[in-house]
Amino acid sequence: MKLFKLAGVLVGASVLIGAAHAEELTGRLKKIKESGTLTLGVRDASIPFSYLDDKQSYQGYSIDLCMKAATAIQKKLGMTSLNVKMIPVTSATRIPLIANGTADISCDSATNNLERQKQVAFAVTEFVTANRFLSKKSANLKTLDDLKGKTIVSTSGTSNLKQITTLNAERNLGMNILSAKDHAEAFLMVETGRAVAFVMDDILLSSLAANSKAPGDYVVSSEALSVEPYGLILPLGDAAFKKVVDDALINVYKGDDIKKIYAKWFQSPIPPKGVNLNVPMSPQLQAVLAKPTDSGDPAAYAAVPEAQKQSSKKK
């Protein structure tokens, strides 16, 4: 078992203290106010969203957004300081840990869908990706049908694993589907030949390949199996807490902050290897940032306004 050095992060006391609120605190806001601690669920290897760098420090796009939310929570509660504790979660444990109160926000690469919304809530969408598969170029696998009868892998606890299992049965593909504990292990299975393909969100597949020993050996399928909107995971039924987080993110989306945060993680060299993913902001994400939504329906992300498409082409 890998040991983690968990340390609290102090949100600067320079944040203006919010005015005293007459309303009685409930839910997570009450818990955070009384404990003085906000607990974030973070990931080991969801590059560039939430991961451990070479200095054993948690970093990523989602963590940066979570820290914006932390500042807003501190201000809302009128606290001079807020201890932000980061605890490791996996695809399989993040929802239970939010539901049982161990973590307050899960800051990683979590797909927001209608089924999950029965267990937890999601903040307004932070990213839009698609479910595809990664394989070695030498295997010449281009479509889902090419995987028929082969051994593939996906990560335990993900919507991707559930979807590929369903497709396997519906299309009678006869695939042998393996379940990995995390994205790094799944990629290793393809790297070492234990699986021919890794089914996962395309942005995560691209980042894993880019940070591998031989980036040029891998290819991500052009065929997309589904649209995957990402959102920070929040407790179900806690409207007051969700509003603070949502308002914080919407405020980031309205200004230049989101452009800077996006460029930092998707268009600049990132630790630990200084790899630049060179992923421009998609028209789908631009549309979501312009008109934030927490919808778990993929159809809400499929249509992009024509003006948005033309704007993206010009960049």
Side-chain angles (χ1 to χ4, degrees):
M1 178 181 290
K2 189 172 183 179
L3 298 177
F4 299 88
K5 182 179 180 182
L6 302 178
V9 181
L10 194 63
V11 177
S14 60
V15 176
L16 293 176
I17 301 175
H21 299 281
E23 74 270 20
E24 183 180 351
L25 295 175
T26 60
R28 297 300 167 95
L29 290 176
K30 180 179 180 181
K31 169 180 173 283
I32 294 163
K33 177 73 171 181
E34 292 177 347
S35 67
T37 299
L38 170 69
T39 303
L40 306 180
V42 291
R43 299 287 294 277
D44 287 359
S46 283
I47 301 172
F49 295 90
S50 180
Y51 67 101
L52 276 172
D53 63 15
D54 53 344
K55 297 179 181 177
Q56 296 298 290
S57 175
Y58 287 106
Q59 297 203 44
Y61 175 79
S62 295
I63 291 179
D64 279 0
L65 291 179
C66 269
M67 293 308 294
K68 293 289 187 181
T71 299
I73 291 167
Q74 179 184 341
K75 183 176 181 180
K76 169 70 175 179
L77 296 176
M79 301 170 70
T80 56
S81 65
L82 176 64
N83 186 49
V84 180
K85 180 182 179 183
M86 297 186 181
I87 63 170
V89 299
T90 67
S91 298
T93 64
R94 58 193 175 185
I95 288 179
L97 290 176
I98 290 291
N100 69 20
T102 302
D104 300 309
I105 309 174
S106 188
C107 313
D108 64 317
S109 48
T111 296
N112 176 7
N113 59 38
L114 298 177
E115 182 177 352
R116 286 178 173 174
Q117 286 186 6
K118 297 174 183 177
Q119 305 174 71
V120 291
F122 288 85
V124 289
T125 297
E126 61 167 340
F127 197 83
V128 183
T129 183
N131 189 15
R132 304 178 194 267
F133 66 84
L134 171 144
S135 61
K136 289 186 176 179
K137 290 180 179 178
S138 58
N140 196 32
L141 304 172
K142 301 185 182 302
T143 68
L144 185 59
D145 288 337
D146 292 336
L147 301 180
K148 189 171 184 177
K150 294 181 169 57
T151 296
I152 68 165
V153 64
S154 191
T155 306
S156 174
T158 62
S159 57
N160 312 77
L161 178 60
K162 183 170 184 177
Q163 184 190 36
I164 198 62
T165 301
T166 300
L167 289 172
N168 190 35
E170 289 178 348
R171 295 173 59 166
N172 195 28
L173 295 172
M175 295 182 293
N176 176 31
I177 303 174
L178 304 179
S179 175
K181 66 178 182 180
D182 56 31
H183 303 326
E185 182 181 75
F187 183 83
L188 181 63
M189 288 184 182
V190 175
E191 189 175 43
T192 57
R194 284 182 287 166
V196 299
F198 174 18
V199 177
M200 186 44 57
D201 302 333
D202 52 16
I203 184 62
L204 298 177
L205 295 175
S206 295
S207 65
L208 285 164
N211 283 279
S212 69
K213 298 175 183 176
D217 289 355
Y218 304 95
V219 62
V220 176
S221 66
S222 58
E223 180 182 23
L225 308 180
S226 67
V227 175
E228 306 286 330
Y230 284 175
L232 306 180
I233 305 178
L234 307 174
L236 185 65
D238 196 333
F241 184 64
K242 176 172 163 54
K243 186 178 188 310
V244 177
V245 176
D246 281 349
D247 287 350
L249 296 183
I250 291 171
N251 187 53
V252 171
Y253 298 169
K254 285 180 178 178
D256 290 333
D257 280 358
I258 190 61
K259 296 176 183 177
K260 295 175 183 177
I261 294 172
Y262 187 93
K264 173 183 174 182
W265 294 107
F266 297 98
Q267 297 179 305
S268 306
I270 60 174
K273 298 181 179 180
V275 173
N276 187 338
L277 299 179
N278 284 314
V279 176
M281 191 178 288
S282 69
Q284 288 82 3
L285 180 55
Q286 290 179 51
V288 167
L289 297 179
K291 190 176 182 181
T293 178
D294 62 358
S295 176
D297 183 356
Y301 305 90
V304 178
E306 189 61 34
Q308 199 74 41
K309 293 179 181 179
Q310 295 301 323
S311 176
S312 178
K313 289 178 181 179
K314 293 177 182 178
K315 292 181 179 180

